[in-house]
Amino acid sequence: MTEHAGSIHDGRNIETTGDHSQGRNAWLKALIGIFTSPRQSFEVIRRHNPWLAPLLLLVAGSAALALASAPLGLQAMRNQLTERLPGNPEQVEAMMAQFEQTAAAARWVAMATGPLNLALGLAVQTLFVWLLAIALQGRLRFSQSLSLMVHLAMITHLKSWTNFLLLHVRGTDTIRSQLDLQAPMGLDLLVAGDNATLNVVYASLNPFTIWFLALLALGAALVFEVPQRKAWLLATIYWAAATALTAATTGLAARLVPT
């Protein structure tokens, strides 16, 4: 009888140890699973909702991308000045020397404020999706919404690195304005025009955004326990709101800043 009780006790200890081990590795399973096995990743997110480790990876990756991309903005400025001041290379170089000093200081400011901006952006996205899911009668905790959006942000981060590589493939000489720092990847390859606001809508229809929205719908169904139809509605509303915000700010920037 004692033996039997001990065996049960040992079995429970093994099961508990296994659960703790799975909990420690949950963030890695969820992170890898976003790219290889989304359903398994969303199951981990639903049960353990890890978010800190992927957030730290996003911060590090964003800092590295900011450093790597800094010369592209200066190249855009150089190309603009060269076009506006033809035959005056000395004046262009003098102005660029001033811009480079300012850019160097701004780069460190961006490095310091970048993590805060990333955290605030994710907080707004998380809150928006959380409220949407509640409105659609989903069952979730705020931490689950945070974990889901942090993991899905990896797709957006991958898109940013792809944009960086495409700019180099196209050649930095093609960068004539700040708007050129976004390489066309979607419908804007075919129907882009002079309207900056419409171009944002066209650009939003790209493989990375579609991938993101498909996983958001799947995640809403599995993590938030929202019916499939409502999960797709959530993803569609999210896309519409994000695209409208980006289009509005881009249109405003196009009016205020000459390109």
Side-chain angles (χ1 to χ4, degrees), residues 65-119:
L65 182 60
L67 285 176
S69 302
L72 295 177
L74 290 174
Q75 184 63 43
M77 186 65 67
R78 181 182 293 277
N79 290 341
Q80 281 184 317
L81 291 175
T82 301
E83 287 184 352
R84 295 177 183 179
L85 301 171
N88 294 291
E90 295 84 2
Q91 186 177 358
V92 170
E93 290 302 325
M95 296 179 69
M96 284 304 303
Q98 296 178 352
F99 285 133
E100 287 173 359
Q101 291 179 356
T102 304
R107 191 181 311 166
W108 291 110
V109 173
M111 288 285 292
T113 60
L116 178 60
N117 292 335
L118 177 64

Side-chain angles (χ1 to χ4, degrees), residues 60-249:
S62 298
L65 182 60
L67 285 176
S69 302
L72 295 177
L74 290 174
Q75 184 63 43
M77 186 65 67
R78 181 182 293 277
N79 290 341
Q80 281 184 317
L81 291 175
T82 301
E83 287 184 352
R84 295 177 183 179
L85 301 171
N88 294 291
E90 295 84 2
Q91 186 177 358
V92 170
E93 290 302 325
M95 296 179 69
M96 284 304 303
Q98 296 178 352
F99 285 133
E100 287 173 359
Q101 291 179 356
T102 304
R107 191 181 311 166
W108 291 110
V109 173
M111 288 285 292
T113 60
L116 178 60
N117 292 335
L118 177 64
L120 287 176
L122 282 171
V124 171
Q125 295 172 37
T126 298
L127 180 61
F128 183 67
V129 169
W130 182 60
L131 293 175
L132 272 180
I134 291 176
L136 295 172
Q137 299 178 339
R139 293 184 293 178
L140 71 156
R141 298 186 301 275
F142 185 82
S143 59
Q144 289 175 319
S145 180
L146 174 61
S147 181
L148 177 64
M149 297 311 295
V150 169
H151 283 84
L152 292 183
M154 291 293 176
I155 298 174
T156 305
H157 187 61
L158 180 61
K159 177 178 179 288
S160 298
W161 276 105
T162 303
N163 177 75
F164 174 76
L165 294 176
L166 286 176
L167 290 176
H168 282 281
V169 170
R170 294 175 63 199
T172 55
D173 291 339
T174 62
I175 303 175
R176 302 297 179 185
S177 70
Q178 296 300 313
L179 294 178
D180 291 333
L181 292 175
Q182 294 297 321
M185 298 185 205
L187 195 58
D188 52 335
L189 278 169
L190 303 175
V191 293
D194 296 329
N195 190 313
T197 302
L198 280 178
N199 287 341
V200 170
V201 179
Y202 299 145
S204 70
L205 301 173
N206 64 78
F208 288 97
T209 300
I210 294 171
W211 182 15
F212 178 97
L213 294 174
L215 290 187
L216 177 57
L218 180 62
L222 297 179
V223 178
F224 304 157
E225 299 182 37
V226 173
Q228 194 66 51
R229 183 180 300 177
K230 291 184 177 181
W232 279 106
L233 177 60
L234 183 149
T236 301
I237 294 174
Y238 178 91
W239 170 82
T243 303
L245 178 61
T246 305
T249 55

